[in-house]
Amino acid sequence: MVKPCLHVDSISSFFFCLLVSSFFVRSLVSLPSPRPDQIEILMAFKNEFPILKCDFSKWPDSEQKTKSWTSKDVKSFDGVVFDSETGVVMELHLGGACLSGSLSANSSLFRLHHLRYLDLSSNYFDSSFLPELGKLTNLEILYLSDMGLAGEIPSSFSSLNRLTKLQLSGNEFIGSFSPLFNLSKLSSLFLGNNLFSGNIPCPLLNLSNLYVLYLSNNLFSGNIPCSLLTLPSLSTLDLSHNHLIDSLETMNCSSSSNLERLDLSYNRLSGRILEPLSKLTNLQELYLSFQNTTDPINFISSLGFKSLEWLDLSGHAISRLNLGSPNLKELYLDNCSLNEFPTFIKDLQKLETLDMGNNRLKGEVPKWLWSMSSLIELYLSQNSFDSFEDKTEMLLNSSLTLLDLRSNAFRGSLPIISPWLIVMLASDNSFTGDIPLSLCNQRFLLVLDLGHNNFSGSIPSCLINSFVQQLDLHNNNLTGRLPDILDKTGSLVTLDVRHNQITGKLPRSLTNCKYLYVLNVEGNKIVDTFPFWLKELPNLRVMVLRSNMFHGPLYSPQHPLSFPQLQMIDISRNKFTGKLPHDYFVNWSTTLISPQEETKPYYMGGSTIVRYDYYPSMYLRNKGINMELEKILDTYRAIDFSENELGGQIPESISLLKSLIVLDLSSNDFSGHIPSSWSNLTSLESLDLSRNQLSGKIPQELATLSFLEYINVSHNKLTGQIPQGTQIVGQSKSSFEGNLNLCGLPLEKSCFGDKAPSTPEAQEPEPPKKEQVLNWQAAVMGYGPGVLFGLAIGHVFYSHKPVLFYKLFRL
Ligand SMILES: *[C@@H]1O[C@H](CO)[C@@H](O)[C@H](O)[C@H]1NC(C)=O
Ligand SMILES: *[C@@H]1O[C@H](CO)[C@@H](O)[C@H](O)[C@H]1NC(C)=O
Ligand SMILES: *[C@@H]1O[C@H](CO)[C@@H](O)[C@H](O)[C@H]1NC(C)=O
Ligand SMILES: *[C@@H]1O[C@H](CO)[C@@H](O)[C@H](O)[C@H]1NC(C)=O
Ligand SMILES: *[C@@H]1O[C@H](CO)[C@@H](O)[C@H](O)[C@H]1NC(C)=O
Ligand SMILES: *[C@@H]1O[C@H](CO)[C@@H](O)[C@H](O)[C@H]1NC(C)=O
Ligand SMILES: *[C@@H]1O[C@H](CO)[C@@H](O)[C@H](O)[C@H]1NC(C)=O
Ligand SMILES: *[C@@H]1O[C@H](CO)[C@@H](O)[C@H](O)[C@H]1NC(C)=O
Ligand SMILES: *[C@@H]1O[C@H](CO)[C@@H](O)[C@H](O)[C@H]1NC(C)=O
Ligand SMILES: *[C@@H]1O[C@H](CO)[C@@H](O)[C@H](O)[C@H]1NC(C)=O
Ligand SMILES: *[C@@H]1O[C@H](CO)[C@@H](O)[C@H](O)[C@H]1NC(C)=O
């Protein structure tokens, strides 16, 4: 059985659910006439927030729901549900509605006495309104997650005694949550990501209707009370990321538990925890990964766990392991110091996901894995496997959709892989021979990572024209040309062939790959002129041509450059020549030009169709050091033109690139002054101008760049005093050496030494005249934002194990 879409990215499905639910809410806005006073209250509430501020970076599907509200049209009340008989407001669905500021004690909201459902999550209020919520005594469901709320839970909450569901996660509540103990109808309680501390309070055990309890990411310590595990209605309990310990005395649980999902990962439990847990006969999902303890775990089937479907023991030393859980579907044993492949796994006929990564397994991969008919995801990375037992064709019979062989010691030719594979990760091995043509016939393959092997021969044209979206062949010994993209709708999203022996030109047909956003051909033997035509790729974000034989000008009046999304360009170590006009950068991407917004950074990576963790990597020279970025942060911005033969003035328009972080123009022939307008490069962290012909003074303004950690202007013709700011004075001496006449710290030469302060450099001509400065603003205005698409193809950083949290939303 093949289930290629089984593991839809949990985040996107979560958002999908949100979309669906908001659709329902909208269509539920009931037509029976709402009471006029209720309309009036709603309008008053709307007017309390005249300005709606959406923070899409935090809450991507924010929506200004109150904006449409008008007393003239009952249907306009997006997010409101009226009672069909009495016409009162019964439900307010205002999660992510762009509301912010303060909700005063006399807010109209608190006049909606009939309210049973209130969702204010993902809006930003100060906490002062919280006590007033106690007035809404009819509330059954209250969602206040991710609102930046702080302080203790107000005691007035104890009057909300009809509550069945309460979510307070993602805030900064402190102290105890005892006001909630009287809520005997509560069936689900989310308190994760707060700062509650102390033992898990006993009164919690009175919440006999509690169905879901989420207490992760707090500071709870001590034991897990047995009575918590056996709360009569409790089915899901998340205690992960706390400081819990186990002890025999308190772990004497009766077997009358209904607990189905239990997350205890990231605590301080030892193997002893297993015995009491084994009595939880209904347990289906158990997460025990990463306990901060040195006790090895001894997990044997005789203990029970007959219903278990999901078991995570990652990050444990395991002394014995034998699972007799016939229903197991997901088993995570990564980072468990295993020396041998546990054979009991063979008998887990329902197993779908097996993670054996980061252990000490070596030798042959056992062949019985390929005949496990349910297995669809297999992770074997970071071991020392070198071969496959028996014929490699065995893989053909398997139903795997994901195979991760990275960082092992595999030799010989690549095995023939399962026809259902979507993701094939085999980098960092010693595979040899040609890239098998059979890969072209994989109908479902979307991600192929063969980097850091010893493949030779040329890149098969059929491969680059297959459905593969992410193709990584870096650091092999591939020769020949980069094949043409024959299909006008080339499916490539990332293409990394760096460090091979590729010759010829860059194929012009790359412009067919409209979705391409990483192109990396570093370290090959490509002979070509600058690919002006790549600007036709609307999504290109990273372009690396470093260390090839590219030549000719970077500027052509016939091909004005305008990369809509570009954020990293590295064309260093080629033979580019010529001058750049002063307005060279005016049409470059808004990504580089507009200041960066504060967002949660994510790593660039591909599709959201399956869950996997392939991220493109790249080399980058930053702060004078060559480094490999294992993942590329979407917030990174870099321009590296170093080691070419570019001359003339450095284009002043470079100061437009407000979000630029790394700028390297070293080892060229640039002359003229360093423009003072560079003080606009406020994000700059690394600036290398060494080995050019720059003259004049270093502008004082550079000292104002507060993020500048590295500057190197050595081997130019600079004169005068080095600007004295903390960022600059702290630099190494070698960053300023080899100039005509520089003085001041960090150089030893003082500016007020033997000579009088009025040295000749004081009469240096001023930096370029003001009239030369273009109206940059106008040039920039012509650009529309393209951020959303970027987010859509980006891959929010998350572990390949879906966290219980996201599962909860699917209950
Ligand atoms: C709420 O009270 C404040 C003063 O405490 C007043 O300025 C404000 O107008 C009142 N708002 C409403 C909606 O009554
Ligand atoms: C909870 O209820 C009991 C009586 O049922 C009452 O004595 C106690 O004060 C209540 N606690 C809170 C915090 O309201
Ligand atoms: C566990 O409970 C049983 C019965 O309730 C009792 O006989 C036994 O002594 C308890 N064991 C421990 C270690 O507390
Ligand atoms: C592990 O526990 C020790 C004390 O028991 C503590 O000092 C240390 O910070 C913990 N480590 C982690 C990763 O939580
Ligand atoms: C494996 O687990 C140990 C502790 O259990 C931890 O120190 C180490 O960083 C983990 N290794 C990886 C690669 O996750
Ligand atoms: C594939 O499976 C079938 C039936 O399960 C079996 O007859 C056949 O020998 C297997 N092929 C290989 C190459 O193992
Ligand atoms: C590739 O082969 C060469 C020579 O046979 C060897 O030196 C090198 O280590 C191999 N590289 C990898 C990644 O296996
Ligand atoms: C790469 O291939 C060339 C010829 O194709 C060969 O001479 C060379 O030894 C290979 N290098 C490695 C590291 O395998
Ligand atoms: C910027 O774009 C405009 C309009 O396409 C074009 O006329 C101009 O030449 C471009 N400037 C540069 C320096 O590329
Ligand atoms: C630098 O930034 C300031 C303020 O953002 C702006 O007024 C000025 O025109 C900019 N200068 C250049 C050369 O871009
Ligand atoms: C600055 O650049 C010069 C020439 O490229 C180099 O020799 C020197 O080490 C660099 N200084 C630092 C601190 O990186």
Side-chain angles (χ1 to χ4, degrees):
M1 259 251 300
V2 183
K3 302 170 192 164
C5 284
L6 186 72
H7 299 290
V8 174
D9 177 340
S10 38
I11 293 175
S12 59
S13 66
F14 164 53
F15 288 141
F16 177 68
C17 294
L18 281 185
L19 285 178
V20 171
S21 63
S22 65
F23 170 75
F24 270 107
V25 171
R26 214 180 291 198
S27 52
L28 271 176
V29 173
S30 38
L31 306 177
S33 52
R35 263 174 33 188
D37 69 311
Q38 301 281 304
I39 298 282
E40 181 209 317
I41 295 174
L42 288 171
M43 293 311 292
F45 178 72
K46 169 184 174 164
N47 293 334
E48 286 171 38
F49 300 95
I51 299 166
L52 300 172
K53 272 171 68 182
C54 300
D55 187 346
F56 294 108
S57 61
K58 252 194 191 144
W59 304 302
D61 32 67
S62 295
E63 203 187 330
Q64 306 181 339
K65 291 188 182 162
T66 54
K67 201 175 173 184
S68 64
W69 294 4
T70 153
S71 51
K72 298 195 183 76
D73 179 7
V74 180
K75 286 186 218 148
S76 71
F77 288 93
D78 195 5
V80 185
V81 178
F82 298 96
D83 186 277
S84 55
E85 279 160 25
T86 59
V88 297
V89 175
M90 233 171 37
E91 302 188 11
L92 267 185
H93 298 252
L94 294 177
C98 310
L99 306 172
S100 65
S102 55
L103 207 53
S104 63
N106 53 8
S107 165
S108 336
L109 177 69
F110 305 116
R111 288 160 59 205
L112 295 170
H113 298 295
H114 303 277
L115 216 51
R116 285 198 231 151
Y117 181 116
L118 176 59
D119 181 0
L120 294 175
S121 299
S122 309
N123 291 294
Y124 204 88
F125 289 138
D126 68 45
S127 310
S128 54
F129 76 97
L130 283 171
E132 308 301 324
L133 283 174
K135 293 178 187 164
L136 299 176
T137 50
N138 285 313
L139 277 180
E140 292 168 12
I141 294 178
L142 177 58
Y143 294 152
L144 300 173
S145 304
D146 299 310
M147 296 183 64
L149 302 172
E152 304 211 10
I153 296 180
S155 57
S156 65
F157 268 45
S158 59
S159 56
L160 299 177
N161 52 21
R162 297 194 177 175
L163 270 191
T164 61
K165 292 184 183 169
L166 176 62
Q167 296 188 6
L168 301 175
S169 345
N171 288 296
E172 287 174 16
F173 287 114
I174 53 170
S176 92
F177 41 89
S178 47
L180 310 182
F181 296 145
N182 278 10
L183 308 181
S184 58
K185 291 196 172 163
L186 214 53
S187 71
S188 91
L189 177 59
F190 283 49
L191 297 174
N193 275 309
N194 280 294
L195 301 169
F196 296 116
S197 60
N199 287 338
I200 295 173
C202 291
L204 206 51
L205 313 176
N206 292 336
L207 302 180
S208 57
N209 288 307
L210 212 55
Y211 174 67
V212 174
L213 179 58
Y214 184 80
L215 299 172
S216 70
N217 276 300
N218 283 294
L219 299 170
F220 292 120
S221 55
N223 305 312
I224 304 165
C226 172
S227 35
L228 182 59
L229 300 179
T230 54
L231 274 179
S233 306
L234 198 64
S235 110
T236 296
L237 174 60
D238 186 350
L239 293 170
S240 62
H241 293 275
N242 280 294
H243 301 298
L244 299 167
I245 53 170
D246 54 353
S247 80
L248 275 181
E249 294 72 43
T250 48
M251 298 303 300
N252 194 1
C253 289
S254 72
S255 54
S256 64
S257 157
N258 287 312
L259 211 56
E260 293 177 355
R261 288 170 213 86
L262 177 60
D263 191 345
L264 296 172
S265 50
Y266 294 94
N267 276 289
R268 295 175 184 170
L269 303 164
S270 68
R272 287 182 306 192
I273 190 77
L274 289 171
E275 194 175 338
L277 293 185
S278 68
K279 295 182 190 144
L280 307 175
T281 47
N282 292 312
L283 209 56
Q284 291 170 14
E285 296 179 19
L286 177 58
Y287 306 80
L288 279 172
S289 58
F290 293 97
Q291 301 300 330
N292 185 358
T293 163
T294 47
D295 289 355
I297 213 164
N298 191 340
F299 206 116
I300 45 175
S301 60
S302 56
L303 282 172
F305 296 111
K306 296 290 180 223
S307 311
L308 219 53
E309 292 181 5
W310 191 310
L311 177 62
D312 186 354
L313 296 175
S314 312
H316 274 287
I318 290 182
S319 56
R320 283 174 68 200
L321 181 68
N322 190 358
L323 286 171
S325 312
N327 295 314
L328 212 58
K329 288 184 181 157
E330 313 242 348
L331 179 58
Y332 296 93
L333 296 172
D334 50 308
N335 198 357
C336 285
S337 312
L338 293 172
N339 298 310
E340 273 179 63
F341 216 109
T343 46
F344 72 86
I345 292 173
K346 209 191 303 196
D347 302 322
L348 302 176
Q349 280 312 317
K350 295 185 181 166
L351 199 64
E352 293 172 3
T353 299
L354 176 61
D355 188 347
M356 304 291 297
N358 198 6
N359 281 295
R360 300 174 190 154
L361 305 169
K362 52 182 182 293
E364 296 180 328
V365 178
K367 65 175 176 184
W368 47 260
L369 280 170
W370 319 129
S371 53
M372 295 186 70
S373 52
S374 304
L375 197 63
I376 51 178
E377 294 189 10
L378 178 59
Y379 300 87
L380 300 175
S381 62
Q382 287 178 285
N383 282 289
S384 305
F385 288 115
D386 57 16
S387 55
F388 298 87
E389 185 187 355
D390 233 7
K391 289 199 306 282
T392 52
E393 286 77 11
M394 292 299 293
L395 272 159
L396 259 179
N397 245 7
S398 96
S399 45
L400 284 181
T401 61
L402 182 147
L403 179 59
D404 185 356
L405 304 173
R406 287 177 292 183
S407 300
N408 276 284
F410 288 108
R411 287 175 275 111
S413 55
L414 195 71
I416 291 178
I417 60 179
S418 144
W420 311 110
L421 268 194
I422 300 172
V423 179
M424 168 78 177
L425 308 172
S427 54
D428 292 292
N429 282 290
S430 298
F431 285 115
T432 51
D434 287 345
I435 294 176
L437 290 176
S438 60
L439 286 174
C440 305
N441 302 328
Q442 298 283 138
R443 276 178 297 161
F444 303 105
L445 197 62
L446 296 181
V447 181
L448 179 62
D449 176 10
L450 302 178
H452 257 286
N453 279 288
N454 253 341
F455 288 108
S456 52
S458 55
I459 300 173
S461 165
C462 63
L463 184 60
I464 230 163
N465 284 294
S466 65
F467 295 113
V468 173
Q469 291 183 355
Q470 302 203 273
L471 182 58
D472 190 340
L473 303 172
H474 78 269
N475 288 76
N476 278 287
N477 197 10
L478 300 167
T479 51
R481 289 162 161 262
L482 209 52
D484 263 314
I485 316 288
L486 304 172
D487 194 339
K488 284 262 179 291
T489 55
S491 53
L492 282 177
V493 171
T494 66
L495 176 62
D496 183 354
V497 295
R498 92 196 108 114
H499 292 282
N500 280 286
Q501 321 268 350
I502 291 168
T503 49
K505 294 185 170 193
L506 270 189
R508 300 299 186 263
S509 54
L510 271 176
T511 52
N512 286 341
C513 300
K514 292 288 182 244
Y515 301 103
L516 195 68
Y517 72 94
V518 175
L519 173 66
N520 194 334
V521 300
E522 175 183 347
N524 282 288
K525 297 173 178 167
I526 297 173
V527 182
D528 203 348
T529 53
F530 184 77
F532 293 101
W533 40 272
L534 276 178
K535 70 176 184 196
E536 285 168 37
L537 294 183
N539 299 302
L540 194 63
R541 288 166 159 252
V542 178
M543 168 172 157
V544 185
L545 309 179
R546 184 185 169 101
S547 295
N548 276 285
M549 289 179 268
F550 285 95
H551 55 86
L554 278 187
Y555 169 72
S556 149
Q558 289 84 47
H559 309 283
L561 279 182
S562 58
F563 296 106
Q565 295 279 333
L566 199 67
Q567 63 182 73
M568 313 249 281
I569 176 168
D570 180 351
I571 56 168
S572 64
R573 299 197 190 183
N574 281 290
K575 294 230 167 355
F576 289 115
T577 51
K579 296 182 179 180
L580 305 177
H582 66 288
D583 59 352
Y584 187 64
F585 291 101
V586 289
N587 292 335
W588 280 42
S589 69
T590 37
T591 323
L592 282 162
I593 290 178
S594 37
Q596 283 206 36
E597 286 170 21
E598 290 253 339
T599 59
K600 190 176 166 199
Y602 63 93
Y603 296 112
M604 286 193 204
S607 118
T608 46
I609 296 172
V610 280
R611 71 170 200 233
Y612 71 97
D613 58 356
Y614 167 81
Y615 299 95
S617 58
M618 68 180 285
Y619 302 106
L620 179 78
R621 220 169 90 88
N622 181 14
K623 300 174 191 166
I625 300 165
N626 289 313
M627 51 176 75
E628 177 166 17
L629 304 177
E630 289 186 0
K631 298 173 181 175
I632 309 174
L633 269 178
D634 72 311
T635 50
Y636 230 97
R637 310 275 186 269
I639 291 184
D640 189 346
F641 284 3
S642 65
E643 296 185 57
N644 279 290
E645 291 156 20
L646 300 168
Q649 297 240 353
I650 297 174
E652 173 139 20
S653 54
I654 209 166
S655 58
L656 280 174
L657 309 180
K658 288 201 179 60
S659 60
L660 195 61
I661 296 173
V662 178
L663 176 59
D664 191 344
L665 302 175
S666 63
S667 301
N668 278 291
D669 267 322
F670 287 114
S671 55
H673 299 278
I674 302 175
S676 58
S677 62
W678 283 23
S679 56
N680 273 12
L681 297 175
T682 46
S683 308
L684 207 58
E685 292 175 15
S686 172
L687 173 63
D688 195 343
L689 300 172
S690 63
R691 297 192 190 277
N692 279 290
Q693 310 288 333
L694 299 169
S695 57
K697 296 214 289 190
I698 302 174
Q700 191 60 41
E701 284 81 356
L702 277 193
T704 64
L705 297 179
S706 50
F707 292 118
L708 197 61
E709 283 173 42
Y710 176 88
I711 178 170
N712 195 336
V713 294
S714 64
H715 302 282
N716 279 290
K717 296 175 176 165
L718 298 166
T719 54
Q721 184 174 21
I722 297 169
Q724 302 290 295
T726 42
Q727 298 289 358
I728 292 187
V729 173
Q731 300 288 323
S732 145
K733 239 179 8 182
S734 69
S735 290
F736 297 92
E737 279 170 355
N739 277 290
L740 265 189
N741 196 10
L742 274 181
C743 62
L745 291 173
L747 292 180
E748 272 145 23
K749 187 177 169 206
S750 160
C751 298
F752 312 103
D754 315 324
K755 284 189 208 163
S758 59
T759 41
E761 46 277 19
Q763 283 111 49
E764 277 288 330
E766 284 299 300
K769 286 146 279 155
K770 281 276 181 284
E771 48 276 26
Q772 267 193 14
V773 180
L774 293 184
N775 185 354
W776 305 135
Q777 219 79 20
V780 177
M781 294 293 265
Y783 267 84
V787 185
L788 280 181
F789 183 75
L791 281 174
I793 57 174
H795 192 67
V796 178
F797 171 63
Y798 67 100
S799 127
H800 71 250
K801 279 172 251 174
V803 194
L804 189 56
F805 174 73
Y806 293 113
K807 291 176 61 69
L808 291 176
F809 283 99
R810 284 192 262 165
L811 284 177

